[in-house]
Amino acid sequence: MDLKELYQEIILEHGKNPKNLGKFENFNKDAKGNNPLCGDKVHIYLKTDENKKISDIKFEGEGCAITMASTSIMTELMKEKSETEVKELIDDFLNMIKENSELKSKNINEDDKIKLMSLSGVKKYPMRVKCATLPWHTLISAMSNKPGEVNTEKEE
Amino acid sequence: MNINNIKKQFPIFNNKVHNNDLVYLDSANSSQKPQMVVDRIYDFYTKEFSNVGRSVHYLAVAATNLYENTRTMMQKYINAKDPNEIVFTKGATEAINLVANTFGQKFLREGDEILLTELEHHSNYVPWHYLRKLKGVKINFAEINNDGEITLESIEKSITPKTKMIAITHLSNVTGAILPIKEITSLAHSKNIPILIDGCQGAPHLKLDMQDIDCDFYAISCHKMYGPTGLGVLYAKKKWLDTLPPYQGGGGMIREVKKEGISFGDLPNKYEAGTMATAQVIAFGESIKFLNQIGIENIEKHESELTKYGEEVLRKNNSVKLVGNPKNKGSVLSFTLDGIHAHDIATILDEDGVAIRAGHHCCQILHDKLGLSATARASLGVYNTKDDLDKLNESINKCKKIFDR
Ligand SMILES: Cc1ncc(COP(=O)(O)O)c(C=O)c1O
């Protein structure tokens, strides 16, 4: 186990000062996610334009450094991405976290890859995987405008 | 038995966690098990196993006697009047569900009120919540004060002419507040209201005397009392067990079963339907022996000294904020750290072998009231030492080091 790998600087930074924290007026999609065992909560707000591109994304929430960093990094990455790109990125990220594989996506640059890979430290902490994946599952739900709340205990 | 040597009796402490000695500070969640309890389970299954109360053969009779022997030991341990006032359940949760369900069925009507407190564990709220839907009863919550305590006055203020049941915790599993349950019981009875005490956190740490407290129901979780999992005890006054309807139906709890109808068995069988957690009950007898060997007074003294020491150490640590400040406090130390979420604390502490719990500890009502989404909780058992609390403090400092890079 390596705590330094889990709490990399990039994670601590995003955890302490999350990007895109807040809400904006004219969102057209949103979803809530919660991890009932730990009390982590995120609420993601999206604006998609006529081409189904995410023109704005913000979130409200509270949780551990991993949840906050994962949400912060995710929202940064998703801006200006098309619906297909978003779906591909989510799959790619969840696969990396759950199945030990590398990121495959060609839609992100090396810098962004490094940011996402920084979250892979949770693999060694099975109880913390949910913290990293919560915002991503919530984003899926927001994109599809599914009513109800993402709940990590009903995931599979 | 020397209280400073108790760790030796718990085999779990022979193992390392991430190459460190285990510092177990999660006893409010569940306690570790002494060797004698573990051995008893093994011995029962290897040499004495049989189902109880059904067959007449040698093993069945012996097992039945052992099973009933634990009931009598428990009766004496909590000074209940009658062994039949001890009902075995699968846990405190089932004990509370049993009361909510049967009392609700028989005595509650639309508009009746149940009084809980803001300190309650979900196990002492959700079972009553069902009665909202089923019966249209209303649930009220007595409010905590700034120290995270529930006072007699707070209960008194919340009682209305419609209050039909009071259900409160003995000792908060978050703030550690010990409630004045004897005074609250006497207040409740002066208004003809029965009272249930959720004794999950009281029973492992405090001397219990049911006849002195005089409560109607007291729910106990055996796995927090150095006993096996899958077992709880409901203490209930005999008058209630005689009056309330049965809870679950099945074998063992009946007298006569005909196609036209059924008559139910006597106590204690009435509330123990089906094959019970036999090995656990018998092994729990050893937990009671273990507690008696040390003496509950010695346990109270040891744990109260440790709690004071822990409070002192954590108060000196400037980044720690203790949750609640009750005058009468049990061995629970909940805290937050500036800028570090409880889950991150728990993960970092775990690396040092320090086991604590993080989250809302099944008390969302309380955490909402405190405006905290999660807290970290170190809780003590008979085996803990000052050294454990020093290690806790060192690991907390390590959290700061990692986060302040
Ligand atoms: C105060 C309190 N009540 C009820 C319970 C539930 O006990 P059990 O899980 O044994 O049913 C617990 C244990 O978590 C508790 O701490």
Side-chain angles (χ1 to χ4, degrees):
Chain A
M1 303 247 174
D2 190 359
L3 283 174
K4 292 240 166 68
E5 213 174 291
L6 180 64
Y7 294 110
Q8 295 181 26
E9 246 162 78
I10 197 167
I11 291 190
L12 293 179
E13 228 159 77
H14 278 270
K16 276 181 222 165
N17 301 302
K19 304 282 175 353
N20 303 312
L21 192 62
K23 189 179 173 180
F24 57 98
E25 278 302 302
N26 51 347
F27 64 90
N28 58 359
K29 292 179 175 180
D30 75 308
K32 281 186 191 171
N34 106 59
N35 184 341
L37 292 186
C38 0
D40 291 343
K41 281 183 197 137
V42 292
H43 191 166
I44 292 174
Y45 304 93
L46 292 178
K47 173 133 186 74
T48 47
D49 61 20
E50 57 280 9
N51 306 318
K52 293 197 175 169
K53 224 182 201 178
I54 294 184
S55 56
D56 204 356
I57 176 166
K58 277 185 181 292
F59 78 101
E60 293 177 315
E62 49 190 338
C64 63
I66 309 296
T67 302
M68 296 308 268
S70 183
T71 320
S72 171
I73 291 170
M74 179 188 82
T75 52
E76 265 195 329
L77 241 74
M78 292 302 177
K79 254 183 218 171
E80 300 302 326
K81 295 274 190 297
S82 72
E83 192 179 11
T84 8
E85 287 170 331
V86 169
K87 286 202 173 128
E88 191 192 297
L89 262 178
I90 295 176
D91 279 351
D92 205 12
F93 177 80
L94 292 179
N95 271 329
M96 174 195 77
I97 293 287
K98 287 180 181 162
E99 277 153 35
N100 237 353
S101 56
E102 298 277 298
L103 285 167
K104 294 191 187 78
S105 180
K106 296 187 179 65
N107 289 320
I108 45 170
N109 60 36
E110 277 310 306
D111 266 7
D112 289 344
K113 264 193 187 163
I114 289 169
K115 278 190 201 165
L116 285 179
M117 292 298 288
S118 74
L119 287 159
S120 64
V122 296
K123 279 181 198 164
K124 291 189 185 151
Y125 298 83
M127 296 296 285
R128 305 302 300 278
V129 164
K130 284 176 195 159
C131 309
T133 57
L134 175 66
W136 299 77
H137 286 291
T138 311
L139 181 59
I140 296 176
S141 154
M143 291 297 285
S144 60
N145 243 346
K146 257 195 288 177
E149 201 165 296
V150 173
N151 182 322
T152 53
E153 295 317 293
K154 295 190 218 148
E155 213 170 83
E156 251 58 58
Chain B
M1 198 183 286
N2 181 354
I3 201 146
N4 298 314
N5 246 339
I6 295 282
K7 253 186 195 164
K8 291 214 171 71
Q9 305 212 24
F10 288 78
I12 194 103
F13 294 110
N14 297 331
N15 306 310
K16 299 275 178 190
V17 173
H18 307 313
N19 291 322
N20 286 303
D21 286 340
L22 169 63
V23 176
Y24 189 75
L25 294 170
D26 198 18
S27 296
N29 188 349
S30 196
S31 65
Q32 294 299 342
K33 317 304 168 203
Q35 189 71 52
M36 57 201 277
V37 173
V38 181
D39 286 349
R40 194 68 195 89
I41 291 187
Y42 180 81
D43 286 345
F44 177 65
Y45 277 128
T46 43
K47 298 179 196 133
E48 302 157 292
F49 179 76
S50 165
N51 207 341
V52 302
R54 283 163 170 78
S55 309
V56 295
H57 57 76
Y58 170 78
L59 287 175
V61 173
T64 306
N65 288 340
L66 288 167
Y67 182 93
E68 289 306 321
N69 190 38
T70 301
R71 194 189 308 279
T72 315
M73 287 171 79
M74 192 58 182
Q75 175 219 341
K76 294 201 174 111
Y77 189 73
I78 64 174
N79 195 28
K81 218 184 229 159
D82 188 319
N84 286 339
E85 294 180 325
I86 305 294
V87 178
F88 290 114
T89 62
K90 87 165 171 69
T93 301
E94 193 184 46
I96 299 171
N97 273 281
L98 188 161
V99 178
N101 179 298
T102 58
F103 184 85
Q105 248 185 77
K106 182 143 182 170
F107 291 109
L108 296 182
R109 277 178 199 84
E110 194 174 340
D112 284 346
E113 296 178 5
I114 294 163
L115 177 58
L116 313 178
T117 81
E118 290 177 338
L119 291 177
E120 296 320 308
H121 189 279
H122 296 164
S123 301
N124 194 25
Y125 172 26
V126 185
W128 303 107
H129 164 78
Y130 290 144
L131 297 171
R132 272 179 174 155
K133 294 220 168 115
L134 229 55
K135 291 275 185 164
V137 307
K138 195 175 155 219
I139 297 178
N140 298 318
F141 294 88
E143 290 191 22
I144 55 166
N145 63 16
N146 290 336
D147 291 329
E149 303 171 299
I150 289 285
T151 59
L152 183 65
E153 291 70 41
S154 158
I155 299 281
E156 189 156 28
K157 247 190 358 213
S158 314
I159 294 178
T160 78
K162 290 191 169 159
T163 307
K164 289 289 153 61
M165 170 63 89
I166 297 178
I168 59 170
T169 188
H170 189 172
L171 194 167
S172 161
N173 62 323
V174 178
T175 68
I178 298 174
L179 276 63
I181 53 167
K182 192 175 165 185
E183 290 74 16
I184 297 174
T185 299
S186 134
L187 170 71
H189 288 170
S190 75
K191 296 179 189 285
N192 262 325
I193 307 167
I195 182 164
L196 173 141
I197 315 280
D198 173 355
C200 278
Q201 302 296 339
H205 306 289
L206 304 171
K207 187 174 167 65
L208 293 181
D209 183 332
M210 289 304 125
Q211 296 184 63
D212 181 53
I213 298 167
D214 199 35
C215 57
D216 298 275
F217 306 97
Y218 193 97
I220 290 171
S221 163
C222 298
H223 67 91
K224 297 182 207 271
M225 278 180 90
Y226 312 104
T229 51
L231 188 65
V233 165
L234 172 68
Y235 160 81
K237 279 188 180 162
K238 193 158 174 300
K239 68 166 183 191
W240 289 113
L241 295 178
D242 284 335
T243 339
L244 293 173
Y247 177 48
Q248 292 177 341
M253 51 80 73
I254 35 75
R255 175 172 298 132
E256 222 181 10
V257 177
K258 303 265 182 213
K259 279 188 178 165
E260 306 73 51
I262 289 162
S263 62
F264 299 112
D266 292 327
L267 292 176
N269 300 337
K270 179 178 168 189
Y271 289 99
E272 294 180 2
T275 295
M276 298 293 287
T278 317
Q280 290 93 320
V281 169
I282 291 167
F284 182 59
E286 296 298 306
S287 311
I288 301 174
K289 264 189 219 157
F290 170 79
L291 289 164
N292 280 333
Q293 277 170 15
I294 307 171
I296 189 72
E297 286 89 355
N298 295 328
I299 295 175
E300 278 186 29
K301 185 161 164 277
H302 172 71
E303 291 179 347
S304 134
E305 276 169 19
L306 274 187
T307 308
K308 287 211 180 76
Y309 181 76
E311 277 187 294
E312 237 173 74
V313 170
L314 294 181
R315 282 230 168 80
K316 274 193 213 139
N317 191 332
N318 288 329
S319 47
V320 176
K321 271 202 204 82
L322 285 168
V323 176
N325 184 28
K327 282 174 275 304
N328 201 1
K329 184 176 166 80
S331 45
V332 182
L333 299 160
S334 296
F335 61 94
T336 57
L337 280 185
D338 268 345
I340 311 181
H341 191 274
H343 285 109
D344 298 314
I345 302 173
T347 296
I348 295 170
L349 264 53
D350 180 58
E351 199 85 346
D352 292 341
V354 179
I356 63 155
R357 182 160 172 197
H360 50 59
H361 319 298
C362 297
C363 295
Q364 279 188 28
I365 302 268
L366 177 62
H367 279 77
D368 282 350
K369 170 88 173 210
L370 297 171
L372 300 167
S373 66
T375 53
R377 179 185 72 185
S379 55
L380 307 173
V382 62
Y383 30 63
N384 287 118
T385 59
K386 287 188 178 170
D387 191 42
D388 291 341
L389 293 162
D390 291 335
K391 283 190 182 148
L392 167 71
N393 196 42
E394 275 166 38
S395 290
I396 289 176
N397 289 332
K398 187 169 142 193
C399 294
K400 286 192 294 182
K401 273 207 199 104
I402 288 178
F403 268 70
D404 292 345
R405 272 189 300 189

